[in-house]
Amino acid sequence: MLREPRIFEEFAFYMVSLAQQRRITKEFELHGRFYAVDSTTIDLCMSVFRWAHFRSTKSGIKVHTQIDIATEIPVFYRITNANVHDTKFMDSIGYESNAVYIFDRGYFDLARIFTIHQSGAFFIIREKRHPKFEITDGDEAVNGEDNILLDQTIRFTSSRNRGNYPTELRRVVYYASDLEQSFVYYTNNFHLAAKDIALLYRYRWQVELFFKWLKQHLQVKSFWGDTENAVRIQIHVAIITYCLIAIIEHDLQLGRPVAQVLRILGSSLLVKDDLQELFGRGTDDGTDDGQLEINFNC
């Protein structure tokens, strides 16, 4: 496919903006702007997609995404070769003052994290490799209320880490009773309650739901063509489709997660019923994969 993908990209971002404007009034349990950042890798056959060389035996691309947790809309994304490290996507994000950006530990780059702090935005990120630090406040363990074990103010002590992040930050230790495992988060937000820090990291899983449906229900794993243009166009079209469904869910006041609406519509393509009737009669197979899933292991 030789068609220029830029027009599809521009229209995709137009639909992103339109869907975001429609759904920005959606109620969320915390006040503010919260974004989850992650990427998904789509493996490609090396003999067909040679332009997307990844490893010695395979090709691949990455879709780096910033999703608005409250609206479920991917407000920014970028398509790269799979060998582009996740942290490089952080340089492309336009950080909003007072917004909170949530990352898994694959983005643990203290220099880039400090850039977020300097921009007036907040971050929440899971600990990686147990960096050395000194405790400046909150040395005592809390009483375990809301499964919060520690809520500390710390400063990194190793010369490299302290050089990359020279000021204090907050360290929250959360115990997931269902997994019988504790998780450590770093943030520069000293205003939110510790339990809300853990809650927001749990909501990071929404971006994983978006990737799941992008691959499984919008068919981006089976491409129409083998050129780079064809692959990019199909991903842009998939995101346009996702935004259209999000707008439909909002305008019809269906009260369902976007992923669930996608699944119901996908299984009802030959049904001629009115959309309100289709959703009003409880057309669902009983699964809850459109609901928020919890994954602490990322």
Side-chain angles (χ1 to χ4, degrees):
M1 186 181 293
L2 300 178
R3 190 172 299 173
E4 170 61 49
R6 185 179 303 172
I7 186 172
F8 293 89
E9 180 181 18
E10 291 177 353
F11 187 66
F13 277 108
Y14 169 76
M15 291 303 302
V16 163
S17 175
L18 186 61
Q20 181 73 352
Q21 291 173 18
R22 293 286 187 90
R23 296 172 62 86
I24 198 66
T25 57
K26 183 179 177 182
E27 292 185 4
F28 189 65
E29 54 193 295
L30 296 175
H31 177 71
R33 301 293 295 274
F34 307 100
Y35 300 105
V37 178
D38 208 344
S39 71
T40 187
T41 299
I42 301 173
D43 293 329
L44 302 172
C45 177
M46 188 173 181
S47 62
V48 177
F49 300 89
R50 294 187 177 276
W51 54 267
H53 178 73
F54 178 28
R55 293 174 180 160
S56 59
T57 58
K58 66 171 65 174
S59 294
I61 58 171
K62 267 187 181 180
V63 182
H64 306 263
T65 306
Q66 172 191 341
I67 194 165
D68 187 317
I69 288 177
T71 65
E72 304 174 62
I73 298 299
V75 295
F76 182 63
Y77 68 94
R78 178 160 290 182
I79 305 166
T80 68
N81 275 23
N83 56 9
V84 175
H85 198 276
D86 288 346
T87 55
K88 291 189 176 181
F89 178 65
M90 299 171 76
D91 301 332
S92 305
I93 299 173
Y95 295 105
E96 301 175 25
S97 178
N98 295 319
V100 180
Y101 296 82
I102 304 149
F103 305 90
D104 69 21
R105 55 186 173 185
Y107 292 83
F108 200 89
D109 182 312
L110 290 178
R112 288 182 166 95
I113 291 171
F114 188 62
T115 298
I116 300 174
H117 175 74
Q118 290 178 306
S119 71
F122 300 108
F123 62 84
I124 299 171
I125 192 166
R126 189 176 162 198
E127 181 183 69
K128 183 179 181 180
R129 297 199 186 101
H130 308 294
K132 295 180 179 180
F133 60 87
E134 61 181 358
I135 300 170
T136 60
D137 192 20
D139 193 16
E140 296 294 328
V142 297
N143 58 14
E145 185 179 354
D146 299 312
N147 289 342
I148 301 299
L149 303 183
L150 289 170
D151 185 2
Q152 304 167 318
T153 301
I154 63 116
R155 186 186 295 271
F156 293 117
T157 55
S158 69
S159 57
R160 180 176 180 180
N161 286 345
R162 191 160 187 166
N164 288 332
Y165 200 101
T167 190
E168 293 180 331
L169 70 166
R170 188 178 180 186
R171 181 177 183 267
V172 174
V173 182
Y174 173 82
Y175 179 73
S177 54
D178 54 337
L179 299 175
E180 298 183 349
Q181 186 177 352
S182 61
F183 298 87
V184 181
Y185 309 117
Y186 292 98
T187 180
N188 63 334
N189 190 307
F190 290 86
H191 309 293
L192 289 171
K195 66 177 182 178
D196 292 333
I197 299 296
L199 174 69
L200 285 171
Y201 192 86
R202 292 169 67 178
Y203 270 111
R204 195 198 64 81
W205 188 243
Q206 281 193 359
V207 73
E208 302 292 350
L209 285 178
F210 170 72
F211 291 148
K212 175 183 176 181
W213 289 95
L214 184 69
K215 290 181 177 180
Q216 293 183 359
H217 290 264
L218 299 180
Q219 301 300 317
V220 297
K221 295 189 73 174
S222 302
F223 290 96
W224 302 324
D226 57 12
T227 67
E228 182 176 2
N229 280 4
V231 171
R232 287 181 175 273
I233 287 172
Q234 189 163 341
I235 292 174
H236 295 319
V237 170
I239 292 175
I240 290 169
T241 304
Y242 181 91
C243 291
L244 282 171
I245 299 300
I247 292 172
I248 290 172
E249 189 281 328
H250 173 270
D251 289 357
L252 296 183
Q253 299 181 349
L254 299 178
R256 297 172 181 256
V258 176
Q260 190 180 91
V261 176
L262 280 166
R263 172 163 50 77
I264 294 174
L265 289 179
S267 62
S268 309
L269 291 178
L270 300 181
V271 176
K272 297 182 179 180
D273 294 353
D274 181 85
L275 280 177
Q276 289 283 16
E277 294 180 0
L278 179 66
F279 287 94
R281 68 178 185 221
T283 307
D284 202 349
D285 57 11
T287 60
D288 61 352
D289 56 350
Q291 302 297 323
L292 178 65
E293 300 181 33
I294 307 303
N295 185 347
F296 294 97
N297 294 315
C298 298

